Amino acid sequence: MKMLLVRKFRVLILMVFLVACTMHIMIDLLPRLERRGTEGRPGCSCPPPAAAPPRAAPRWPSKHTLRILQDFSAEPGSNLSSQSREAAERAAGGGGGGGGGAAGGGGGAAAARTRRLIAPGAPRPPPPAAAAAAPLAALFQHPLYRAALPPLTDGDLLFNVNSDIRFNPRAAEQPEWQNEDNEEFLPTGETSIDSYPNWLKFHIGINRYELYSRHNPAIEALLQDLVSQKITSVAMKSGGTQLKLIMTFQNYGQALFKPMKQTREQETPPDFFYFSDYERHNAEIAAFHLDRILDFRRVPPVAGRLVNMTREIRDVTRDKKLWRTFFISPANNICFYGECSYYCSTEHALCGKPDQIEGSLAAFLPDLSLAKRKTWRNPWRRSYHKRKKAEWEVDPDYCEEVKQTPPYDSGTRILDIMDMTVFDFLMGNMDRHHYETFEKFGNETFIIHLDNGRGFGKYSHDELSILVPLNQCCRIRKSTYLRLQLLAKEEYKLSLLMKESLLKDKIAPILYQPHLEAMDRRLRIVLKAVSDCIEKDGYDNVVENDFNTDVNTVTTER
């Protein structure tokens, strides 16, 4: 009798389990059956709607190919991505999103489809005419800003997209990004490049002489992507003294996020050492625009963005160390502080209003597995010590020793250092301890101007020690010298050009007005230093002619 009851109980449990499974299956199938019934319109005498013409899906490179071109080698956690818990906000006013977002309005989508149909050799429509009074547009039309580069060979390009070399799927050693069909993507020409996301177009455009060309449309599109692309993953960047986040977008691009720590009008306290100063997000943005106005084009694209700390950082991160540092302040604001050497504690937490925070997003350079970079110690590096001084601070003939040391004994590297010196002095950046170059191009290439967050800290003080390399070496490119003279003129005033350029950023105004005025003052100091060198050593010994021919024929050696 007891065994019979046990058997009946088991049968009952089995029946309950089968009924539950059947109900789950019916619940899953019901929406499909409803959709199928709606499509067939049973019991409806009205004619079915006209079928929309089939829309071809855009040809995108494989997920793996896009991923390995990103520089996330320094942070393994940045390879993680996750889906956002909420849909991305659509830009108001029909503003188009990035490659992964929906276009704002049907007209924008139609225009995009029309652009894709333009043949490679067909003339493109002219850009909209700029206002006659815009000094920035007039500056870029000046002969000094139309100088052509030397003819580019295959060895001058960082990536040769027309080659038969396939991207190596093992380059990034991330099998989870392998294409489902186990295929490799082969760039085969202009048609394929048009389907690339803008960050990949930026990478492909890098050559021996510049990070990007003057009128590359992908750069403006990339700046728009940085502020509009959906953020799918966030991780802390390892190394460094202050908190930085690696953000991954829906189109597999990545950028370095530096959050806001100071207001625009705040100056660095006078008792702060340069190595303990804050890294400012607006300094990164302003450095990109200044670099472009100086026609160096050696700073990766940077844009400002207002980030929702809850939806776009906390909810999408898989970095548990970062996630655990979020809290709600007594003022009911969302805050976090992460992990780093300086300013990562509850006393220095980053708080939103209530959960919105400003920051800068700098586009990543190509992955190190595809484009190796060499790190160089800056000869005029500071001691980074509270009491000790560097050698160049006590030896007035230090430059002569540098000029006898490779790679400064030949080529253009010493001139690149002078360009970087002028760039840093105009910003007031004392934190240039190292610099990088692309290994493929050897010593005959430009210096990449990375990590500019400690610029624009003081507008009431000009740090003359930044100009020591120029004062000691008395060397400068002719193209740089002529552009500096041009920017000192009233019609091309540097502060006005910077103000106009920075107004394009989404979180403008970027710089406090006294910072803009300080750049004009520092520009006059640079020109006075060059003038003193010319008076002492002669024009030909100071100003290096990097023009192949006359200036008006706009051809330069860089």
Side-chain angles (χ1 to χ4, degrees), residues 126-137:
L136 194 62

Side-chain angles (χ1 to χ4, degrees), residues 41 74 131 135 209 215 221 250 302 349 368 402 479 492:
R41 293 183 176 263
Y209 307 103
H215 306 294
Q250 195 172 29
V302 185
L368 293 173
V402 172
S479 59
Y492 297 111

Side-chain angles (χ1 to χ4, degrees), residues 345-500:
S345 63
T346 52
E347 293 80 10
H348 298 97
L350 304 166
C351 295
K353 295 183 179 178
D355 59 356
Q356 304 285 319
I357 189 171
E358 279 186 23
S360 63
L361 279 163
F364 267 31
L365 293 173
D367 181 73
L368 293 173
S369 64
L370 295 178
K372 293 181 180 179
R373 299 195 299 273
K374 187 169 183 178
T375 301
W376 305 80
R377 182 188 174 98
N378 184 2
W380 282 270
R381 180 185 188 272
R382 297 178 184 273
S383 65
Y384 287 82
H385 194 277
K386 296 175 183 178
R387 291 176 294 275
K388 294 181 181 178
K389 287 190 175 184
E391 184 179 351
W392 58 267
E393 295 181 273
V394 296
D395 182 5
D397 298 323
Y398 178 76
C399 183
E400 295 303 317
E401 180 182 340
V402 172
K403 288 191 291 187
Q404 297 174 14
T405 306
Y408 308 102
D409 57 345
S410 62
T412 61
R413 183 63 59 84
I414 195 72
L415 297 172
D416 291 330
I417 293 289
M418 298 303 112
D419 285 347
M420 187 171 65
T421 297
V422 172
F423 177 61
D424 284 337
F425 180 70
L426 293 175
M427 294 191 299
N429 179 25
M430 302 172 65
D431 187 37
R432 189 69 67 184
H433 45 83
H434 288 83
Y435 64 86
E436 295 184 15
T437 60
F438 286 107
E439 196 173 283
K440 175 181 178 179
F441 302 134
N443 293 334
E444 296 297 324
T445 187
F446 61 93
I447 289 174
I448 308 172
H449 295 165
L450 295 173
D451 199 7
N452 306 295
R454 287 194 169 125
F456 298 103
K458 295 180 180 179
Y459 51 78
S460 58
H461 172 71
D462 301 328
E463 184 55 52
L464 297 179
S465 65
I466 303 175
L467 268 188
V468 166
L470 180 62
N471 291 327
Q472 288 183 347
C473 298
C474 279
R475 297 284 302 281
I476 192 170
R477 280 189 172 95
K478 184 175 182 179
S479 59
T480 300
Y481 185 40
L482 293 179
R483 289 187 188 105
L484 293 176
Q485 289 178 317
L486 184 67
L487 296 173
K489 295 182 178 179
E490 196 64 32
E491 60 268 34
Y492 297 111
K493 200 171 184 179
L494 178 58
S495 59
L496 296 179
L497 294 168
M498 280 291 291
K499 187 174 184 179
E500 180 188 346

Side-chain angles (χ1 to χ4, degrees), residues 234 236 241-245 247 257-263 266 278-281 307-310 313-314 322-323 325-340 342-360:
V234 176
M236 287 188 293
T241 58
Q242 300 183 34
L243 178 67
K244 294 179 277 288
L245 302 178
M247 291 187 168
F257 179 77
K258 290 189 178 182
M260 176 179 177
K261 295 186 177 74
Q262 283 185 317
T263 60
Q266 281 182 294
Y278 291 110
E279 292 189 18
R280 287 165 285 274
H281 73 298
V307 174
N308 186 300
M309 296 164 62
T310 304
I313 299 180
R314 190 192 66 185
L322 173 63
W323 189 87
T325 65
F326 276 84
F327 64 93
I328 299 177
S329 72
N332 287 324
N333 293 322
I334 302 294
C335 305
F336 73 102
Y337 52 87
E339 289 187 358
C340 61
Y342 296 138
Y343 310 124
C344 282
S345 63
T346 52
E347 293 80 10
H348 298 97
L350 304 166
C351 295
K353 295 183 179 178
D355 59 356
Q356 304 285 319
I357 189 171
E358 279 186 23
S360 63

Side-chain angles (χ1 to χ4, degrees), residues 490-530:
E490 196 64 32
E491 60 268 34
Y492 297 111
K493 200 171 184 179
L494 178 58
S495 59
L496 296 179
L497 294 168
M498 280 291 291
K499 187 174 184 179
E500 180 188 346
S501 184
L502 291 171
L503 282 175
K504 300 176 183 178
D505 197 87
K506 296 296 183 181
I507 61 171
I510 302 301
L511 289 180
Y512 191 39
Q513 181 63 30
H515 279 300
L516 297 171
E517 296 169 358
M519 282 192 289
D520 290 332
R521 183 178 68 245
R522 292 165 186 165
L523 177 57
R524 292 191 293 269
I525 294 174
V526 173
L527 292 174
K528 177 65 167 58
V530 177

